[in-house]
């Protein structure tokens, strides 16, 4: 029996716990999710290193999963645009059962390997793409079908599972095993198994964005300022990075459509926003490299 399906001997009387003990059981068990991700750090680092050159060559991030795992892939993919201006078309999530399965379970969809293959082929994978194959059990047919198609296309395949020796991890180019063990409620991988997958995905995608110059220091300098809160965040980030006052930050941001990294380079290099944008284009979007370039550009 898979460890994620094995009943926990620690909580055999869970339904008799007092409220405080019930809360403690669920919360304390989540700590194992962090430990599982920490133990997989070498494989996660390897995945990041392998993915960067493919994305620099124009590849996409493709996420494939079913149930909780698939929904976590959707969540990670959709948040990359507002946070890092990562293009929508370069973060594609495939969920067993289709988009509707995000809100209502589609029974049996995860058992269809042929549909996984078809769905992956429908987005025309290439050798520059990075494909995350997500399955707590590690043997979900839909995910394995997509994995086969991704491998045939030459894409980088990263298999993430919560059981040791899982097919999705063994058959992927890079396998990441998050060994979270038994769940408080047996088989409910929406608990710590899901938490560990979210941590792993957050870590990988955020680290990739750092490597792709979407972050300066630890500042979110490539965000999309699409509402009042985010406009104010852009102002604060610009002020923090440059030391200018709010009025100067706002005026500069308005000249470059609230593109924080352009405003930072313009202010620190003493350039117009048009000149700053040109320098950033020459440095692959790296603020740090742009600040070292000729300030008379």
């Amino acid at each position: 029996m898979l460890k994620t399906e094995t009943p926990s001997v620690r909580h055999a009387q869970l339904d008799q716990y007092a409220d405080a003990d019930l809360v403690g059981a669920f919360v304390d068990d989540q700590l194992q999710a962090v430990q599982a991700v920490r133990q997989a750090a070498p494989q996660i680092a390897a995945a990041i290193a392998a993915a960067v050159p493919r994305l620099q060559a124009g590849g996409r991030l493709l996420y494939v999963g079913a149930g909780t795992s698939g929904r976590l892939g959707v969540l990670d993919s959709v948040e990359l645009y507002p946070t890092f201006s990562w293009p929508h078309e370069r973060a594609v999530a495939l969920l067993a059962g289709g988009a509707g399965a995000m809100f209502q379970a589609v029974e049996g969809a995860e058992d269809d390997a042929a549909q996984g293959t078809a769905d992956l082929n429908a987005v025309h994978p290439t050798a520059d793409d990075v494909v995350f194959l997500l399955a707590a059990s590690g043997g979900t047919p839909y995910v394995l079908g997509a994995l086969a198609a991704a491998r045939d296309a030459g894409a980088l395949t990263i298999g993430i599972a919560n059981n040791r020796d899982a097919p999705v991890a063994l058959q992927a180019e890079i396998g990441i095993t998050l060994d979270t063990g038994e769940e408080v409620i047996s088989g409910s991988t929406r608990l710590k198994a899901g938490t560990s997958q979210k941590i792993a995905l957050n870590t990988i995608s955020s680290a990739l964005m750092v490597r792709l110059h979407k972050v300066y220091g630890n500042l979110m300098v490539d965000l999309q300022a699409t509402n009042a809160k985010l406009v104010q965040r852009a102002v604060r980030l610009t002020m923090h990075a440059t030391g200018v006052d709010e009025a100067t930050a706002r005026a500069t941001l308005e000249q470059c459509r609230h593109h924080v990294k352009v405003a930072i380079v313009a202010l620190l290099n003493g350039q117009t926003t048009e000149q700053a944008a040109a320098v950033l284009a020459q440095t692959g979007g790296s603020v740090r490299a742009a600040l070292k370039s000729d300030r008379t550009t």
Side-chain angles (χ1 to χ4, degrees):
M1 182 183 293
L2 298 174
K3 286 180 71 175
T4 52
E5 297 293 330
T6 303
S8 171
V9 297
R10 294 178 55 227
H11 301 291
Q13 305 302 319
L14 185 71
D15 62 340
Q16 298 183 52
Y17 285 10
D19 289 348
D21 294 331
L22 195 59
V23 171
F26 284 117
V27 173
D28 291 348
D29 203 54
Q30 291 285 338
L31 298 176
Q32 295 183 44
V34 178
Q35 185 59 30
V37 178
R38 182 176 288 133
Q39 290 174 346
Q43 292 73 39
I44 292 173
I48 294 164
V52 168
R54 297 188 187 230
L55 298 178
Q56 289 174 328
R60 298 170 294 172
L61 295 171
L62 307 180
Y63 301 74
V64 184
T68 295
S69 297
R71 295 183 188 100
L72 289 169
V74 173
L75 181 63
D76 199 70
S77 70
V78 301
E79 291 180 343
L80 294 179
Y81 176 73
T83 308
F84 301 110
S85 294
W86 187 252
H88 293 294
E89 64 273 15
R90 295 184 68 189
V92 179
L94 302 178
L95 179 60
M102 187 72 186
F103 304 99
Q104 184 172 342
V106 179
E107 301 300 336
E110 69 176 54
D111 297 327
D112 194 340
Q115 191 62 54
T117 299
D119 286 354
L120 200 285
N121 282 330
V123 299
H124 308 293
T126 73
D128 289 330
D129 290 334
V130 177
V131 186
F132 297 108
L133 293 310
L134 308 163
S137 69
T140 305
Y142 177 87
V143 177
L144 293 177
L147 170 56
R151 290 185 62 179
D152 287 345
L156 173 64
T157 53
I158 301 171
I160 301 178
N162 293 89
N163 286 286
R164 293 187 180 278
D165 300 320
V168 74
L170 294 175
Q171 295 174 25
E173 185 171 339
I174 297 175
I176 298 173
T177 300
L178 307 172
D179 187 9
T180 45
E182 303 88 352
E183 298 286 1
V184 173
I185 297 177
S186 57
S188 184
T189 52
R190 60 184 286 272
L191 299 174
K192 68 173 179 286
T195 299
S196 71
Q197 289 186 9
K198 187 176 193 304
I199 296 171
L201 287 173
N202 280 174
T203 298
I204 295 170
S205 62
S206 297
L208 289 173
M209 295 301 113
V210 172
R211 290 288 177 257
L212 295 171
H213 309 306
K214 302 292 187 178
V215 175
Y216 170 54
N218 67 343
L219 304 181
M220 184 194 304
V221 295
D222 227 352
L223 80 162
Q224 288 289 316
T226 54
N227 59 40
K229 178 189 73 174
L230 294 176
V231 168
Q232 186 57 42
R233 181 181 295 170
V235 171
R236 290 196 304 270
L237 289 168
T238 302
M239 293 171 63
H240 180 85
T242 64
V244 301
D245 60 26
E246 182 173 348
T248 301
R250 284 188 180 278
T252 306
L253 285 165
E254 288 172 3
Q255 294 170 22
C256 58
R257 297 183 179 180
H258 293 89
H259 198 171
V260 176
K261 62 167 55 176
V262 173
I264 291 172
V265 173
L267 289 165
L268 292 181
N269 276 4
Q271 298 170 319
T272 65
T273 54
E274 290 81 5
Q275 290 171 327
V279 174
L280 281 164
Q282 295 168 7
T283 62
S286 171
V287 171
R288 200 168 295 279
L291 294 177
K292 293 179 181 178
S293 67
D294 183 358
R295 298 195 176 195
T296 65
T297 301

